């Protein structure tokens, strides 16, 4: 009985256990194990060798000291401790981004995670010598003197941290970092892949600006698009957005709308004569639809949004009128329609109807009725008195 | 309703401005044209078509003609569905398709009364013309046309001449020198005039005859409404009987040589008070005179026609009573009422004009009739009651004996609408386009009435202008709905 020594991961056979054990220790086997875990087929030894060769050629000088996760965390913690008291969290970060060659002209190629990793390498490399680091960093950031003064008090960790941050250009996907040809293509990609919805597209005037803003928010601030979450790194915020489904632009509350206000222009929806104030226009639930109010011979031109003098009626460009809720009870009542001329004429002359009576004659008639009633009452009272004609009380039962 | 609106409806809209006169004139023209067609059909094709078919043909004509004119006006249409009444029938004969009673067969020698009317924006023109059905004489065989004679001929003459005389009398208001020829035109004198002519021809005035002012939407179309500011002379059934009996009582008292001081006829008092109105220029009048042959003393009573098989009152037309409001309980009734609101106005109508499926409409009719929202206008027949029977009835109140003594009599009727404008009397309906039928009466007109008739058309006197029948625009015919 011959025993065979195999490696199922790499699909190999070995004559004895020693060779098998040797095999298990090779990088090739480890690589195939990782592939197996990832659900991929194993690769042959020669293929692996060529891959290794390729990799070593591509990044020979970058193979330097790997920064550990622990160290990264520590650095970030330190950076936060310094940054918080002076509260330059978001605005300062974006200020730096502006000085940083605007980020747009340095499109990131390939894997974003890989890129940040290399950035991290760079900074950790420089952090060994402080003074040199600061100078080169600031030179790199290309800041003017004034900003330099404000930045001076920040310690090196913060600088490092800031150097990690880079605004995502508006042609790159905010979530996966894929580069697209144009801003529109980028929006389309994000819409298709992550169901990103851009609100009020009719009034959107600056799409590129909006996309740049989103890129800055994620790339510089590590901030989630839709909630107040701030990630520790770009990866964390991207993962957060993907996991929570937060790849969306919130557009509900007043603040959220104002945040994006710069990219929009709503003036085309205002009336020239009597513009509806923002508060009224946004206060949708206080208006009730009221189609009956449509009036063709109105003094206003159609196709405008305006309110009437009393401010209780809003006219839409479609011609429909919307009444205010405070008037709801009047709109809700269903009045009997005014009779047509024929019926109205007949009603006006028909003396059987009480409302056609001559008012003067009716008053006279009422006087007569009153007098008749009075006389009748007096007669009744008199007869009542007369009914008791017995002089002395006599009990009927005793008779 | 506000006073302002009622004043506008009753006063302002009734001023005879040019636009109002135009509407009246057009209504008159449509009416005249339809009447001409129907008279032609009745006289030449009475053997081909039944009375009901001719009525429905006339209705369709009126419907199409009124649809085509005054597109902006909402309220226009048939003011009186075409009625063709032979002999003793006096009201409401306009049978629906499928009814058992189709108006009876027309025979030579019958008096036929054709009534119809049209309103445009409430301005109404109504007409009634009496014709005599006769054989078309075969001239090649040497036959000559023979006039109708006897008591029906008297009735025809009396009604025609009375209506002409009343119109001539009314026209005096438009005389350039008003009051010169006949004095002030009053209701009392109109009554005297008509009764004089009736007496001269030995005929009785049929109750329901009237000479009344018409206003917008108020054209005496039915007697449901009790009108304020009513101007008119009306012959009523009970009143006429009361007068006849009062005359008997007076004669009795005279025979017993008692004083007649205390005996007062209430009806005559009522007439004196109510009919003492003055006719003025700027008003419109409907002159509607009906006469029935009455060989002896007595009165004319109107009875509901029960059908030839005595199956029950025949009702072809209905009128709406707007003073009644009632929440209907039955779904079909509510549906019918909403259809009524949409399609009808204050005028009489036939059910087929509201709902093409008459059987369906009758489903909801019961509750509506029970609560008097609609008032039926039954088919009536005129019967002559001898004075003896009336007298008996006044003593013992036995109605059956009176009714058995009554006898159906042929009725002649002439009705026209006239406008008394400031310069001339505009006769909307009837007139020279419709000469009276060929009849001979043994009696003659009193001289003063002849003089009155001569006043019209005098060089310096009042003028009567006729609206003549002509071409009218017609809307395309409605396609008949297919019944499943």
């Amino acid at each position: 009985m011959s025993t065979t020594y195999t490696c199922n991961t790499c699909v190999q056979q070995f004559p004895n256990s020693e060779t098998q054990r040797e095999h298990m220790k090779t990088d090739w086997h480890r690589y195939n194990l990782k592939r197996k875990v990832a659900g991929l087929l194993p690769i042959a030894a020669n293929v692996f060798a060529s891959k290794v060769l390729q990799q070593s050629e591509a990044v020979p000088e970058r193979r330097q000291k790997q920064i550990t996760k622990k160290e990264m965390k520590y650095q970030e913690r330190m950076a936060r401790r310094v940054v918080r008291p002076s509260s330059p969290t978001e605005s300062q970060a974006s200020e730096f981004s502006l000085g940083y060659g605007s980020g747009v002209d340095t499109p990131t190629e390939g894997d974003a995670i890989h890129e940040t990793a290399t950035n991290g390498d760079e900074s950790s490399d420089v952090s060994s010598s402080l003074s040199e680091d600061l100078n080169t960093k600031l030179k790199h950031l290309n800041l003017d003197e004034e900003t330099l003064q404000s930045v001076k008090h920040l310690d090196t960790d913060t600088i490092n941290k800031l150097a990690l941050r880079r605004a995502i250009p508006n042609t790159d996907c905010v979530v996966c970092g894929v580069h697209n040809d144009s801003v529109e293509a980028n929006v389309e990609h994000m819409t298709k892949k992550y169901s990103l919805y851009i609100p009020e597209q009719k009034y959107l005037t600056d799409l590129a600006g909006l996309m740049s803003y989103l890129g800055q928010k994620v790339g510089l601030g590590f901030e989630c698009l839709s909630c107040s979450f701030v990630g520790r790194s770009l990866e964390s915020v991207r993962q957060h957005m993907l996991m929570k489904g937060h790849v969306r632009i919130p557009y509900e509350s007043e603040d959220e709308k104002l945040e994006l206000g710069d990219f929009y222009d709503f003036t085309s929806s205002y009336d020239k004569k009597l513009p509806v104030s923002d508060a009224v226009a946004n206060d949708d639930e206080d208006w009730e639809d009221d189609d009956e109010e449509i009036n063709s011979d109105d003094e206003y031109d159609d196709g405008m949004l305006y309110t009437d003098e009393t401010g209780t009626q809003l006219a839409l460009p479609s011609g429909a009128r919307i009444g205010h809720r405070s008037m709801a009870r009047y709109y809700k009542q269903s009045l009997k329609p005014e009779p047509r001329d024929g019926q109205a004429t007949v009603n006006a002359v028909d003396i059987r109807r009480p409302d056609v009576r001559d008012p003067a004659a009716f008053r006279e008639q009422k006087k007569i009725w009153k007098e008749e009633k009075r006389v009748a009452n007096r007669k009744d009272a008199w007869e009542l008195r007369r009914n008791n004609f017995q002089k002395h009380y006599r009990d009927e039962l005793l008779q | 309703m506000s006073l302002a609106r009622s004043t506008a409806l009753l006063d302002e809209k009734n001023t005879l401005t040019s636009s109002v006169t135009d509407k009246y004139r057009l209504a008159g023209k449509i009416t005249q044209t339809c009447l001409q067609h129907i008279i032609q059909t009745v006289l030449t094709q009475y053997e081909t078509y039944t009375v009901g078919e001719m009525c429905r043909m006339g209705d369709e004509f009126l419907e199409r003609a009124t649809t085509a004119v005054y597109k902006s006006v909402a309220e226009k249409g048939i003011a009186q569905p075409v009625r063709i009444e032979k002999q003793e029938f006096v009201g409401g004969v306009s049978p629906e398709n499928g009814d058992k009673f189709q108006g009876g067969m027309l025979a030579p020698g019958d008096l036929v009364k054709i009534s119809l009317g049209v309103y445009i924006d409430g301005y109404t023109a109504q007409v009634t013309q009496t014709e005599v059905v006769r054989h078309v004489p075969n001239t090649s065989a040497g036959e000559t046309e023979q006039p109708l004679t006897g008591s029906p001929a008297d009735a025809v003459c009396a009604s025609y001449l009375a209506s002409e005389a009343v119109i001539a009398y009314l026209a005096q208001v438009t005389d350039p020198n008003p009051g010169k020829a006949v004095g002030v035109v009053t209701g009392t004198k109109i009554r005297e005039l008509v009764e004089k002519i009736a007496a001269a021809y030995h005929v009785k005035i049929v109750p329901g005859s009237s000479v009344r002012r018409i206003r917008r939407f108020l054209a005496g179309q039915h007697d449901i409404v009790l009108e304020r500011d009513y101007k008119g002379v009306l012959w009523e059934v009970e009143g006429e009987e009361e007068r006849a009996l009062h005359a008997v009582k007076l004669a009795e008292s005279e025979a017993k040589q008692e004083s007649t001081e205390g005996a007062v006829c209430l009806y005559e008092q009522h007439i004196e008070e109510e009919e003492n109105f003055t006719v003025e220029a700027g008003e419109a009048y409907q002159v509607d005179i009906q006469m029935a042959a009455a060989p002896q003393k007595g009165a004319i009573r109107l009875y509901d026609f029960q059908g030839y098989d005595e199956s029950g009152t025949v009702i072809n037309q209905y009128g709406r009573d707007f003073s009644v409001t009632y929440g209907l309980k039955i779904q079909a009734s509510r549906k019918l009422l909403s259809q009524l609101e949409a399609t009808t106005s204050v005028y009489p109508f036939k059910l087929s004009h509201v709902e093409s499926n008459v059987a369906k409409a009758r489903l909801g009719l019961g509750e509506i009739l029970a609560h008097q929202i609609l008032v039926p206008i039954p088919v009536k027949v005129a019967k002559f009651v001898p004075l003896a029977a009336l007298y008996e009835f006044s003593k013992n109140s036995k109605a059956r004996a009176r009714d058995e003594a009554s006898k159906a009599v042929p009725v002649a009727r002439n009705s026209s609408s006239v406008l008394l404008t400031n310069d001339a009397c505009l006769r909307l309906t009837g007139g020279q386009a419709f000469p009276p039928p060929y009849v001979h009466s043994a009696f003659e007109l009193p001289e003063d009435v002849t003089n009155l008739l001569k006043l019209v058309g005098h060089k310096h006197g009042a003028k009567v202008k006729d609206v003549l029948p002509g071409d009218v625009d017609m809307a395309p015919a409605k396609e008949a709905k297919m019944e499943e």
Side-chain angles (χ1 to χ4, degrees):
Chain A
M1 177 185 161
S2 64
T3 53
T4 47
Y5 302 92
T6 59
C7 170
N8 285 334
T9 316
C10 303
V11 200
Q12 296 291 324
Q13 281 192 355
F14 305 100
N16 47 31
S17 75
E18 276 74 44
T19 48
Q20 190 198 22
R21 282 177 186 181
E22 280 303 309
H23 166 76
M24 295 293 183
K25 288 171 188 167
T26 58
D27 284 348
W28 174 42
H29 175 74
R30 276 196 209 116
Y31 185 74
N32 273 344
L33 264 180
K34 281 181 184 171
R35 281 184 70 88
K36 194 182 181 185
V37 169
L40 296 168
L41 289 172
I43 54 169
N46 54 353
V47 180
F48 176 72
S50 67
K51 263 185 182 282
V52 170
L53 201 67
Q54 216 176 347
Q55 196 71 11
S56 60
E57 272 171 12
V59 280
E61 70 278 1
R62 285 190 188 182
R63 293 227 135 227
Q64 286 161 0
K65 186 194 170 193
Q66 191 83 27
I67 192 162
T68 57
K69 261 189 181 175
K70 206 174 178 183
E71 280 172 351
M72 282 270 279
K73 275 180 187 168
Y74 173 75
Q75 279 179 6
E76 276 173 16
R77 220 178 296 134
M78 289 304 289
R80 235 175 270 159
R81 205 171 291 161
V82 177
V83 170
R84 261 192 200 139
S86 56
S87 73
T89 45
E90 181 53 43
S91 58
Q92 214 151 14
S94 58
E95 240 176 76
F96 282 120
S97 77
L98 291 172
Y100 193 89
S102 77
V104 182
D105 52 0
T106 56
T108 48
E109 293 282 344
D111 194 3
I113 300 170
H114 181 243
E115 191 203 32
T116 42
T118 53
N119 278 346
D121 292 349
E122 215 171 346
S123 59
S124 63
D125 170 42
V126 184
S127 67
S128 54
S129 57
L130 262 174
S131 58
E132 192 189 336
D133 158 70
L134 202 62
N135 285 333
T136 47
K137 271 291 159 197
L138 292 177
K139 233 180 262 173
H140 191 193
L141 284 170
N142 195 18
L143 298 172
D144 54 1
E145 282 304 306
E146 211 178 313
T147 338
L148 273 177
Q149 290 303 314
S150 62
V151 173
K152 277 276 163 73
H153 71 274
L154 298 174
D155 72 348
T156 47
D157 285 348
T158 318
I159 303 293
N160 290 341
K161 176 114 196 319
L162 289 173
L164 276 174
R165 297 169 184 237
R166 187 177 276 191
I168 300 165
N170 59 8
T171 48
D172 285 12
C173 175
V174 173
V175 187
C176 59
V178 167
H179 176 69
N180 292 294
D181 296 334
S182 65
V183 182
E184 284 76 25
N186 190 27
V187 171
E188 201 187 330
H189 158 80
M190 289 171 72
T191 309
K192 272 189 181 160
K193 200 163 178 193
Y194 304 108
S195 308
L196 180 84
Y197 173 73
I198 295 177
E200 301 273 21
Q201 295 189 30
K202 196 176 162 192
Y203 300 108
L204 183 64
T205 49
D206 187 10
L207 179 65
L210 178 67
M211 293 311 290
S212 304
Y213 173 70
L214 296 182
Q216 284 170 19
K217 202 173 171 183
V218 176
L220 285 174
F222 295 162
E223 208 175 308
C224 172
L225 283 183
S226 63
C227 71
S228 55
F229 172 83
V230 179
R232 284 176 183 154
S233 65
L234 188 61
E235 305 93 276
S236 71
V237 71
R238 277 174 166 167
Q239 197 168 14
H240 162 85
M241 288 197 294
L242 274 178
M243 290 302 176
K244 294 236 170 178
H246 276 187
V247 190
R248 57 188 175 85
I249 304 169
Y251 195 76
E252 270 146 33
S253 75
E254 193 71 10
D255 291 339
E256 287 162 359
K257 284 174 184 173
L258 283 175
E259 188 183 338
L260 302 177
D262 290 348
F263 310 109
Y264 289 90
D265 180 18
F266 288 103
T267 46
S268 62
S269 68
Y270 298 162
D271 176 33
K272 279 165 202 156
K273 287 184 221 161
L274 205 58
V276 180
S277 69
D278 284 347
V280 174
N282 290 324
D283 201 0
D284 287 336
E285 61 184 335
D286 265 7
W287 297 91
E288 298 220 330
D289 193 29
D290 179 29
D291 286 336
E292 284 166 34
E293 290 294 310
I294 292 173
N295 225 346
S296 57
D297 50 1
D298 206 271
E299 60 203 279
Y300 300 111
D301 306 328
D302 281 332
M304 289 288 187
L305 191 75
Y306 52 81
T307 56
D308 70 345
E309 292 80 12
T310 55
T312 52
Q313 209 180 70
L314 178 73
L316 299 183
S318 65
R321 302 281 189 279
I322 298 176
H324 195 268
R325 173 158 292 183
S326 62
M327 298 289 169
R329 66 159 68 173
Y330 304 108
Y331 295 125
K332 266 177 193 160
Q333 62 191 349
S334 59
L335 295 172
K336 212 179 171 192
E338 184 94 326
R340 293 194 294 175
D341 278 5
Q343 187 188 345
T345 310
V346 167
N347 285 349
V349 295
D350 198 345
I351 51 176
R352 295 171 305 161
R353 292 176 64 87
D355 54 335
V356 190
R357 275 195 215 109
D358 181 13
F362 186 62
R363 273 198 299 277
E364 285 301 311
Q365 185 63 49
K366 264 168 94 176
K367 265 187 203 167
I368 293 166
W369 287 337
K370 213 173 169 184
E371 180 61 22
E372 277 173 359
K373 181 105 194 224
R374 199 179 63 83
V375 170
N377 283 350
R378 218 169 61 184
K379 202 176 162 215
D380 285 353
W382 183 72
E383 276 181 353
L384 255 177
R385 275 206 307 278
R386 274 208 57 188
N387 264 345
N388 186 11
F389 51 82
Q390 293 174 338
K391 200 171 184 182
H392 304 289
Y393 178 70
R394 286 161 66 186
D395 196 332
E396 294 283 324
L397 292 173
L398 294 179
Q399 300 307 310
Chain B
M1 187 170 44
S2 69
L3 190 68
R5 189 176 181 203
S6 86
T7 322
L9 286 176
L10 294 176
D11 299 339
E12 289 160 28
K13 297 265 185 179
N14 279 303
T15 318
L16 292 182
T17 58
S18 63
S19 73
V20 170
T21 316
D22 282 350
K23 283 172 185 168
Y24 267 125
R25 203 190 282 270
L26 183 60
K29 190 182 169 191
I30 293 172
T31 312
Q32 297 276 70
T33 313
C34 185
L35 179 63
Q36 199 178 40
H37 287 315
I38 291 176
I39 287 176
Q40 210 176 4
T41 318
V42 167
L43 292 184
T44 57
Q45 292 176 291
Y46 66 90
E47 283 163 329
T48 322
Y49 296 112
T50 66
V51 168
E53 278 167 343
M54 287 188 280
C55 289
R56 290 190 289 276
M57 270 152 48
D59 284 343
E60 200 200 336
F61 179 94
L62 293 181
E63 190 76 58
R64 285 172 62 193
T66 47
T67 312
V69 296
Y70 280 99
K71 293 271 164 57
S72 58
V73 170
E75 284 186 273
K76 59 181 179 180
I78 301 174
Q80 176 59 258
V82 176
R83 283 161 32 185
I84 299 176
E85 290 142 0
K86 69 162 201 171
Q87 295 289 72
E88 70 270 20
F89 290 99
V90 289
V93 182
S94 50
E96 303 273 18
N97 194 7
D99 278 1
K100 205 188 283 172
F101 172 68
Q102 285 292 335
M105 297 298 291
L106 297 183
D110 279 355
L111 299 187
V112 181
K113 304 167 287 289
I114 300 143
S115 312
L116 55 108
V118 155
Y119 70 100
I120 290 168
D121 198 20
Y123 303 105
T124 316
Q126 285 170 289
V127 71
T128 304
Q129 173 75 8
T130 303
E131 293 293 335
V132 177
V133 181
R134 56 178 183 271
H135 272 303
V136 181
N138 190 354
T139 42
S140 60
E143 282 182 64
T144 48
E145 201 174 337
Q146 293 299 317
L148 181 74
T149 51
S151 58
D154 297 340
V156 172
C157 283
S159 101
Y160 175 76
L161 289 170
S163 76
E164 293 296 314
V166 169
I167 288 168
Y169 184 54
L170 289 174
Q172 299 309 312
V173 187
T174 63
D175 195 319
N177 305 307
K180 191 184 167 197
V182 291
V184 180
V185 179
T186 64
T188 322
K189 285 184 193 163
I190 293 173
R191 178 179 278 273
E192 275 172 22
L193 178 63
V194 176
E195 283 173 356
K196 190 190 280 175
I197 296 169
Y201 280 90
H202 295 80
V203 292
K204 284 269 174 282
I205 301 165
V206 178
S209 304
S210 70
V211 177
R212 56 154 293 162
R213 175 168 65 135
I214 57 174
R215 288 181 281 179
R216 189 170 175 246
F217 289 112
L218 303 167
Q221 55 275 61
H222 45 55
D223 51 5
I224 297 167
V225 180
L226 286 176
E227 251 179 84
R228 194 156 50 93
D229 303 333
Y230 173 80
K231 270 189 182 183
V233 181
L234 175 68
W235 284 267
E236 291 172 38
V237 178
E238 287 77 14
E240 295 308 308
E241 288 176 3
E242 200 181 322
R243 279 171 89 193
L245 288 173
H246 185 67
V248 174
K249 273 180 202 162
L250 283 184
E252 272 182 354
S253 321
E254 268 179 30
K256 289 176 191 167
Q257 293 181 342
E258 288 168 3
S259 79
T260 55
E261 294 272 316
V264 184
C265 179
L266 287 174
Y267 181 62
E268 280 178 351
Q269 268 187 345
H270 164 80
I271 289 170
E272 270 171 38
E273 288 165 14
E274 295 291 315
E275 297 185 353
N276 195 20
F277 62 90
T278 313
V279 179
E280 284 158 23
E283 292 177 338
Y285 277 82
Q286 184 74 31
V287 180
D288 180 4
I289 306 292
Q290 303 170 54
M291 300 283 191
Q296 42 181 318
K297 279 191 176 177
I300 305 285
R301 270 190 86 82
L302 301 182
Y303 290 92
D304 285 355
F305 178 62
Q306 299 295 320
Y308 286 122
D309 53 356
E310 300 289 326
S311 56
T313 313
V314 180
I315 300 161
N316 298 142
Q317 297 183 10
Y318 299 88
R320 174 82 192 271
D321 189 347
F322 287 106
S323 72
V324 181
T325 49
Y326 176 78
L328 292 165
K329 305 287 183 289
I330 298 169
Q331 178 97 40
S333 308
R334 287 203 296 269
K335 191 168 174 250
L336 179 62
L337 188 64
S338 68
Q339 279 175 309
L340 285 173
E341 301 270 4
T343 52
T344 64
S345 186
V346 299
Y347 297 93
F349 57 86
K350 288 162 77 172
L351 281 184
S352 57
H353 295 171
V354 179
E355 162 71 58
S356 53
N357 187 353
V358 179
K360 203 171 156 192
R362 287 206 173 111
L363 257 182
L365 197 61
E367 198 190 11
I368 292 180
L369 287 178
H371 294 95
Q372 284 94 37
I373 294 171
L374 286 189
V375 179
I377 301 170
V379 173
K380 295 213 172 207
V381 289
K383 287 184 178 175
F384 175 78
V385 186
L387 192 60
L390 271 184
Y391 188 72
E392 277 300 305
F393 176 71
S394 72
K395 296 279 184 224
N396 57 23
S397 303
K398 280 179 182 166
R400 199 171 164 190
R402 179 198 61 188
D403 294 347
E404 276 169 0
S406 65
K407 195 178 109 227
V409 281
V411 174
R413 182 180 183 189
N414 282 77
S415 173
S416 302
S417 309
V418 289
L419 292 192
L420 306 175
T421 58
N422 285 322
D423 50 346
C425 170
L426 183 65
R427 187 167 180 177
L428 300 177
T429 53
Q432 64 195 30
F434 301 100
Y438 188 27
V439 290
H440 271 185
S441 173
F443 304 104
E444 273 192 9
L445 205 58
E447 200 176 336
D448 50 346
V449 181
T450 322
N451 290 339
L452 180 68
L453 287 170
K454 278 179 187 165
L455 282 175
V456 172
H458 194 270
K459 204 194 288 176
H460 302 298
K463 290 176 186 64
V464 176
K465 290 180 188 167
D466 283 10
V467 172
L468 296 173
D471 292 337
V472 289
D473 295 336
M474 300 280 277
K478 254 191 246 171
E479 283 185 25
K481 272 185 192 168
M482 293 296 288
E483 297 288 329
E484 70 269 31

